[in-house]
Amino acid sequence: MNYESMRIAVVTGGGHGIGRATCRRLAADGKRVVVVDIEEDAAQSVAAELGGSARTVNVGDEQAILDLVAGVESDEGPIDLFVSNAGVGFGDADGEAASKGGGIGSVDDRWEACWRINVMAHVFAARALVPRMRERGGGYFVNVASAAGLLSQIGDAAYSATKHAAVAFAESLAITHGEDGIGVSVVCPQAVATRMIGIEDDSESFDGGFGGNDVDGILRPEVVADCIVDSVRGQRFLVLPHPQVATYVERKASDHDRWIAGMQRFRQKLSDS
Ligand SMILES: NC(=O)c1ccc[n+]([C@@H]2O[C@H](COP(=O)([O-])OP(=O)(O)OC[C@H]3O[C@@H](n4cnc5c(N)ncnc54)[C@H](O)[C@@H]3O)[C@@H](O)[C@H]2O)c1
């Protein structure tokens, strides 16, 4: 299915950040946008701005995704594009990769939340939609993972592990369902100016500067939204809004030990600064 003929798009985590920018870009391109978020007010405000509809859903709950898909398709029509963008990360609160403590709530609850929201939400969306898309000859999934799904997020083992799983699931989806006319893109940015990295929700005033592990610069969410639309238009699987990531992936594949040593040095540099 080509981008121009797509009519209805669902975006999870559409209330803020990358999801909200994607909703805006899709609406500007004439799509009917369904804004999905766990935060009801955020979803409603984006939907009101764009003349779309809002649904309050926890994407980590399979029944809620089944109800979302069934509800949108019966009220508004077939979903052509499903953007699984909602995601969470909590950090290794005490600095240990296999930590058993620290942070908010129990560490197992944080792993479980990463697993359900960063991975299973993508599986739930595919389970709900693949049979419908196959029957009507196609559709498209955009799964927002992270560069942490190809490399590693220093200081967040659960985020890194689950984003790797998200990339692997997107590969399986693309390999298995290409012949059903189903397209898949997986989005792997480094830092983006959103609440997830502690930049408040007004990327308009973001000046590009920020400390931390933003070696290749922090992108505005609008740039990522444009990359998402370009990848759907071009039917490209791997979306790298920071092009440097392609080089890092090549280096990692060519010499894993050297790459680990480089990451160890980088981690040390971050903890010194
Ligand atoms: N910001 C970055 O630096 C960065 C880098 C790489 C990848 N990403 C990924 O981009 C995606 C979007 O993140 P963002 O940076 O825009 O962050 P954000 O915090 O601004 O937005 C995330 C949105 O998801 C919603 N959400 C969280 N849990 C949910 C749930 N269970 N059900 C439904 N909605 C839920 C939040 O309410 C929020 O609106 C995430 O998957 C994130 O991992 C972000």
Side-chain angles (χ1 to χ4, degrees), residues 1-6 9 22 25-26 29 31 80-83 139-143 182-187 224-239:
M1 166 172 279
N2 66 44
Y3 182 68
E4 275 61 39
S5 63
M6 292 176 186
T22 304
R25 171 64 205 266
L26 292 168
D29 288 351
K31 312 300 175 196
D80 301 312
L81 173 64
F82 195 101
V83 183
Y140 210 100
F141 292 95
V142 170
N143 291 352
I182 295 174
V184 182
S185 295
V186 69
V187 188
V224 179
D226 289 345
C227 291
I228 288 174
V229 167
D230 288 350
S231 74
V232 179
R233 270 221 167 88
Q235 314 256 315
R236 274 195 317 281
F237 178 76
L238 184 62
V239 187

Side-chain angles (χ1 to χ4, degrees), residues 13 16 18 37-38 57-59 85 87 145 159 163 189-192 194:
H16 296 278
I18 295 169
D37 210 283
I38 200 165
V57 171
N58 174 3
V59 297
N85 160 77
Y159 189 76
K163 290 296 186 177
Q190 296 192 96
V192 184
T194 71

Side-chain angles (χ1 to χ4, degrees), residues 108-132:
D108 287 345
D109 289 349
R110 300 200 299 272
W111 269 89
E112 180 65 16
C114 284
W115 177 245
R116 294 194 79 79
I117 299 166
N118 295 348
V119 187
M120 291 312 293
H122 301 189
V123 180
F124 298 153
R127 274 189 198 150
L129 265 170
V130 165
R132 293 169 182 262

Side-chain angles (χ1 to χ4, degrees), residues 21 23 34 47 59 80 85 91 154 204 211:
C23 289
V34 181
V59 297
D80 301 312
N85 160 77
I154 289 170
E204 287 81 7

